[in-house]
Amino acid sequence: MTDIAGLTRIRAERPEAIAEAAARRTRRPLLRDGGRLMIIAADHPARGALAVGGDRLAMANRRDLLQRLCLALSRPRVDGVLATADILEDLLLLGALDGKVVMGSMNRGGLAGASFELDDRFTGYRAEDLERLGFDAGKLLLRVDYDDPGSLATMDSAARAVDSMAARGLPVFVEPFLCRRAADGAPPRNDLSAEAVTTSIAIASGLAGTSAYTWLKVPVTENPDDMARVMETSTLPAVLLGGDLGDESDAAYEKWRDALQLPTVQGLVAGRTLLYPADGDVAGAVDTAVGLL
């Protein structure tokens, strides 16, 4: 049982315990055991994206989320976690990150549904934070809407973040999308057509002064048969992106299984699909995803 009261007491009385826990953490290489990555994602809350399926506040209960994360991280062949500082610090204090890949989420300023959503400022980890804490990688979101000037600011910030990570020898996972807003002002929707995903990969691959430490975090296209051609766009290593698929998780597993066979695809980063499966069986969902690797 996750002791929320205990975590709050440590934070209130001994905030330095977080840095101490980070310094004690047992580290590991990014890739091992055949070079396939299985990362659990939980960086959604900091962008105000708390919904899973029809439950708008599913991820709002931190005790429940931490229990799910600790269970997922305990499963065999789960390599690590992607999250923001508040969640990673809780997991550090719980001792759940020893021997795991720790990936810090860097830009969470594009709040879900906000008018400024595509001006996605870097309000999370900086490269210097990840280096200081001894974490293993960073992740940034790059959404581009050709009709929204905010996309250019995000693109510029993303390029400089890639430069900063590379200067420290830290991998950075870039999650690119082409997206557009509907005429009725609805939140921007990601375009998962083969052409759009191909274009987004080409843009992300060319960011910054070097791509030596850049990885891609890419979605499966709306027609999974297009993935082989789409992934020929770049030689950069890539992981597949998992999303909130509700009751369609079985179909998602099949899409992931095929795409994971492609030569540049090195693993899977999935969050809500595994942490909040429709049947409530977190361990079963994680084990199924791991089996695809």
Side-chain angles (χ1 to χ4, degrees), residues 8-31:
T8 301
R9 186 162 54 251
I10 292 172
R11 286 178 172 278
E13 297 174 0
R14 291 195 63 247
E16 67 275 12
I18 292 170
E20 294 168 0
R24 290 193 305 269
R25 183 179 73 90
T26 303
R27 298 185 63 179
R28 51 153 283 180
L30 181 67
L31 290 176

Side-chain angles (χ1 to χ4, degrees), residues 176 196-206 216 218-219 230-231 233-234 236:
V197 177
T198 296
T199 303
S200 70
I201 289 174
I203 293 169
S205 298
L216 299 173
V218 299
V230 166
M231 295 309 297
T233 308
S234 175
L236 298 184

Side-chain angles (χ1 to χ4, degrees), residues 95-181:
L97 298 182
D98 281 343
K100 299 296 182 182
V101 171
V102 181
M103 190 181 300
S105 191
M106 302 178 76
N107 60 328
R108 298 280 83 187
L111 301 183
S115 62
F116 53 83
E117 183 168 352
L118 295 178
D119 187 355
D120 202 350
R121 304 294 176 94
F122 280 69
T123 57
Y125 281 110
R126 302 166 299 174
E128 53 263 43
D129 300 321
L130 298 171
E131 180 182 46
R132 170 175 49 84
L133 292 163
F135 289 169
D136 306 296
K139 172 257 180 179
L140 62 89
L141 178 61
L142 177 65
R143 291 175 296 178
V144 175
D145 181 345
Y146 283 25
D147 295 322
D148 191 320
S151 295
L152 181 58
T154 301
M155 192 172 172
D156 178 67
S157 298
R160 303 292 73 79
V162 172
D163 282 332
S164 188
M165 292 288 284
R168 293 166 169 82
L170 287 172
V172 58
F173 289 67
V174 180
E175 182 180 336
F177 291 101
L178 293 192
C179 58
R180 60 175 59 88
R181 290 185 184 275

